[in-house]
Structure formats: structure tokens, C-alpha cells
Amino acid sequence: MSSGPIQRRKLYQEVQDRLLERIRSGEVPSGEQLPSERDLMDEYQVGRPAIREALQALERSGIVSISHGERARVAVPTAESLVEQIASGAQHLLRSDPNSLEHLKEVRVFLECGMARMAAERSDPASMKLLRQRLDEHHRVTDSPQHFVEGDMGFHTQIAAMSGNPIFPVILEAMLRWLGEYYQSLVRAPGAEALTLAEHDRIVQAIESHDAQGAEQAMREHLMRANALYQRLVRPEGEAETLAS
């Protein structure tokens, strides 16, 4: 048995738990409004501050949405909204923990290699047309660092979408947004654009040929070799280590 004093909970936490139970049970389904603050106050016999704190806590968790002048509404969960909930925390972690960038790079390599393999296995003429368009757009914006970054994200996100799993592109796009400040340094490195585009060309060829192993290998070489090159390019100038495009 655990020991120690039993911690007293704040009133709003009890209200929050009761509202969560109503939402999880389906009593108030996604997209529907919760009872008004006055109705909740009467039902739970608590003051307005406890109701508002509970609703605000649920909003921070992405469970309800609150608009001025309207009753709180149960949020419709999506992959985008769930990933967005951790965006600010992820960016703070990257800035405060020097090891987190390396950890995220490992995650990206692992995910993107798998996505490239799946894209090669599942690609069709329509998805390949979109990927070719993304690649062509990327080739046309080498003179603009900002547009080059956006083109790179679009290219990689399209490969993730070709996996057929709608969660993959959401996760990847979020990761690339979190790492946006590192990308800006990356695309300004001399020769980085040409290397990135040449490797993207090889990835597309493998996917188009339905060469799953080749696509995975091309993606791995792209991310790993670019990492090493960018480190050599920026470290003599004392800049922060950057992530491959």
C-alpha cells in the first residue's frame, strides 16, 4: 500500500473529471455544446470560477473549444489538432535540451525511411503526378531560401501522404515546422540546394519504379549524408548544428 498524506484536490479538478466522464461516455458527443456555465454551476453546486477553470483546462488539452459568447463545445479530434497540442512544448524542448535535436533527427530518419518504402509500394499515377509536381516546384525556387524550405517540406510531406496513412504527413509536417529555424541555416549553406535536389531526384526515381528497398535506402542516404555535410559546412563558422533537408 502507498503511504503518505492524501492530497486534497482543487474543486475545478473534480468538475473537470465529471465533464470528462460525460464526454467520454458519449453523453455529450464530439461537435456538441456542453451545458451553459450557469447550468453546470447549478448541477454541481459550485461557483463560476471552478467551472471556468475546468473548461479552460479541457481547452488546453484540446478536448473542448471555447468561443466568446458561446457555450463550450466538445472538439472534433483530428490528427492535426492532437499534434498541435504538443507543438510549443516540442519547440521549447529543442531550445532547452541540447540532446533533443539529435533524438528528433533519429526519429525523423526512422519515420521517413519507412514512409519512403511505403510510398514505393503504394504509389499510383495520381500520387506520382503530385510528387513530380512537388519536385518541379522545388527545383524552381532555389533562389529563395524561404521558398526552398517550403518546397522541401512539401516534397517530404507528399511522400508521407503516399504511404496511405493520414497520420504520417501530419506528424512529419509538425516535425519540420518545429525544426524550421534549423532549416533556414541549412538552405543557406553553400551547395546545399544542389545536393538536396539531386538526392530528391533519386528518391523519386526509386518510388516511381516501385523499388521499396531502393526508396528507403535513397531516403536514408539523403538524410544521413546531408546531416554530415551540413555539420562540416556550418561548424567552422561556429553556428549551431543543422538538420538535413
Side-chain angles (χ1 to χ4, degrees), residues 142-164:
T142 56
D143 59 341
S144 169
Q146 179 180 351
H147 291 153
F148 192 78
V149 169
E150 293 170 357
D152 181 83
M153 292 182 179
F155 174 82
H156 284 273
T157 303
Q158 173 58 24
I159 292 176
M162 291 170 70
S163 69

Side-chain angles (χ1 to χ4, degrees):
M1 296 179 61
S2 59
S3 59
I6 296 176
Q7 298 296 321
R8 295 184 60 184
R9 305 188 72 204
K10 294 183 178 179
L11 196 57
Y12 87 88
Q13 293 172 320
E14 296 293 340
V15 175
Q16 179 182 348
D17 284 350
R18 294 197 184 190
L19 291 174
L20 269 175
E21 179 58 31
R22 297 173 73 165
I23 294 169
R24 289 170 177 167
S25 70
E27 178 184 340
V28 186
S30 297
E32 296 298 318
Q33 289 181 315
L34 289 168
S36 68
E37 289 184 0
R38 170 55 61 186
D39 288 342
L40 291 173
M41 290 165 57
D42 291 341
E43 181 177 352
Y44 296 143
Q45 293 296 294
V46 297
R48 192 179 299 274
I51 298 296
R52 289 190 171 175
E53 283 189 68
L55 292 174
Q56 289 167 359
L58 292 173
E59 183 183 36
R60 287 192 296 271
S61 300
I63 296 171
V64 306
S65 59
I66 302 175
S67 299
H68 181 69
E70 296 184 4
R71 286 184 288 156
R73 187 181 300 274
V74 179
V76 178
T78 64
E80 288 87 350
S81 63
L82 293 175
V83 171
E84 190 65 30
Q85 291 297 313
I86 64 173
S88 59
Q91 290 173 330
H92 176 68
L93 178 64
L94 284 171
R95 294 188 179 101
S96 60
D97 182 357
N99 295 319
S100 62
L101 179 58
E102 284 299 319
H103 295 160
L104 192 54
K105 285 164 66 175
E106 283 187 353
V107 172
R108 185 190 174 193
V109 171
F110 178 81
L111 288 176
E112 286 218 63
C113 288
M115 292 175 195
R117 170 177 282 276
M118 295 173 72
E121 293 171 342
R122 302 176 182 182
S123 65
D124 55 28
S127 61
M128 278 307 309
K129 181 178 180 180
L130 287 174
L131 184 59
R132 282 287 182 187
Q133 288 176 351
R134 298 291 179 270
L135 183 61
D136 291 343
E137 291 166 0
H138 203 194
H139 274 274
R140 291 197 296 267
V141 293
T142 56
D143 59 341
S144 169
Q146 179 180 351
H147 291 153
F148 192 78
V149 169
E150 293 170 357
D152 181 83
M153 292 182 179
F155 174 82
H156 284 273
T157 303
Q158 173 58 24
I159 292 176
M162 291 170 70
S163 69
N165 186 325
I167 297 178
F168 283 163
V170 173
I171 293 176
L172 180 62
E173 187 174 354
M175 289 176 61
L176 300 185
R177 286 203 310 270
W178 301 339
L179 293 162
E181 59 192 79
Y182 299 98
Y183 267 58
Q184 289 299 326
S185 298
L186 178 155
V187 297
R188 289 186 174 94
E193 298 92 343
L195 172 67
T196 294
L197 291 171
E199 293 180 333
H200 282 187
D201 288 338
R202 287 194 288 273
I203 293 168
V204 170
Q205 291 170 8
I207 292 175
E208 195 166 34
S209 301
H210 297 286
D211 180 1
Q213 183 173 350
E216 179 178 352
Q217 185 62 27
M219 180 65 77
R220 186 179 306 279
E221 290 177 357
H222 166 53
L223 296 176
M224 301 303 293
R225 181 166 59 240
N227 278 344
L229 173 62
Y230 297 139
Q231 289 171 16
R232 291 198 301 271
L233 286 170
V234 301
R235 281 182 175 174
E237 299 177 0
E239 296 180 8
E241 181 179 341
T242 55
L243 182 69
S245 161

